[in-house]
Structure formats: structure tokens, C-alpha cells
Amino acid sequence: MIRFVAILFVALVMASAPTHAQAPTREQAMRAAIHPISTDAEMRQWLARVPVTRDWPPDFAETMKGQPPAFIVEMSTAPGCIPCADLWARLGTLGQRYGWKVRTIGSQEAMLRSGRLGLPWVGHPVAWVRPVADSNRIIPVAIGTDHEPNLARNLYLAAKMLTGVKPAVGVRGMAKFTGIVAAATRLSSNRARN
């Protein structure tokens, strides 16, 4: 009898669940997470909604200043990309403060990296940290632009992951990319005819 009551209870709970509730599609998730912008005002408006990192681990400064010779930050960019210019300036400031090298990479390399990591290619910028001596070990640290403290946190976590901290710890810390990007340019499938 108790077993029957338990089964009946489960059946009633399942029947009362809304039938229209479904997991969001990949497209819906991207629309919620990626914010294409085309003006400085739009970018500032989206950035105003992003929480800023305020708590730092005790070894933050030591890690950031101790790792520059070992790592490089690489980012994708495109002409006229407002968030690219913003991210470049912020990474440049962090690079000068902590001695990290920052450079750009081409769109094709950025798309290949995103594909290898299973990231949706949604536009520019995307930034990665990698060891100077190993171009295959890459960790994304920004999808779109972000506040400088958040970028510094992500650089710190990438350095930690690349030097032995369990990836799950770092991924949880970096799980909130802003996704403020310039819209991806679509490659035309029509080729010029001669």
C-alpha cells in the first residue's frame, strides 16, 4: 500500500508539472548571454549591469607579477569593433601593471580556437591566455569586453589553471563572461565570378 501511495504521489507531481516548460534552446541561451553592441553608449549600458570582482585571493599580486614571462594574452579583433578597442585598452593597462604580454590574433585563428573549445563564434573580441612555449594549451579569459577587475581575476585563474590548479575551480571562477561583443561578420558564400 505504501509503495502504491508513493507511485501515485510521483505520478500526481509529474502530471501537475507544466507541459510547456522546456530547457532553453542553444539559440535562446546565446541571445541571453551574448550582447551584440554597435555604439559606446550600448557598451556602457551593458557593462553597467555586470558585477565587478571585489574579493582577491592572498596570492593574487604575487601570481600576477610572477607569471608574465611564462604566459601571453592573445585576443581577436576586427576593424571598427568597439568592444575590441575597450578590451585592448583594459588588457593593455593590466599588461603594463603586471608585465603580461598582450597581442592580437587573426579572425581565422580565433574561430579555430573557439571551435576547438566548443565556444560559439559570435563575434569579437575573444581573449585567451596560453603559455608562451605552448600554443596548444589555451584558456579563454574573455568573451567580449569586461570590467578591468574581472579581467584581472580571469588572468589570475588562467595562470593558476595552467600551473596545476584543478580546472573545475578556475572554470567556476570564470563562468560569468560578459558576452559584450561586436556582431560577427558573416562570410559570404558567394564567390566573386571572373
Side-chain angles (χ1 to χ4, degrees), residues 9-124:
F9 178 74
V10 170
L12 287 172
V13 169
M14 290 177 67
S16 67
T19 56
H20 65 278
Q22 296 177 3
T25 65
R26 183 178 173 118
E27 182 179 307
Q28 290 168 327
M30 274 184 47
R31 271 199 311 259
I34 304 300
H35 314 290
I37 59 100
S38 56
T39 67
D40 283 323
E42 286 178 354
M43 185 178 65
R44 283 191 303 275
Q45 180 183 8
W46 278 108
L47 274 173
R49 300 174 183 192
V50 177
V52 178
T53 300
R54 303 221 186 278
D55 296 321
W56 303 100
D59 68 336
F60 178 81
E62 177 186 329
T63 299
M64 291 297 287
K65 290 182 179 179
Q67 301 301 333
F71 300 108
I72 186 167
V73 182
E74 298 173 318
M75 67 171 274
S76 68
T77 189
C81 171
I82 294 166
C84 297
D86 187 71
L87 181 63
W88 178 258
R90 292 173 194 267
L91 288 175
T93 300
L94 288 169
Q96 288 178 343
R97 184 176 306 141
Y98 298 111
W100 288 60
K101 294 177 186 166
V102 180
R103 73 180 193 102
T104 60
I105 59 172
S107 294
Q108 292 300 323
E109 175 65 18
M111 284 191 279
L112 287 172
R113 286 181 181 189
S114 291
R116 277 187 16 215
L117 295 175
L119 300 172
W121 183 250
V122 294
H124 298 284

Side-chain angles (χ1 to χ4, degrees), residues 162-180:
L162 289 166
T163 56
V165 169
K166 291 180 183 177
V169 173
V171 170
R172 276 195 306 273
M174 282 194 281
K176 297 182 180 176
F177 294 126
T178 64
I180 300 169

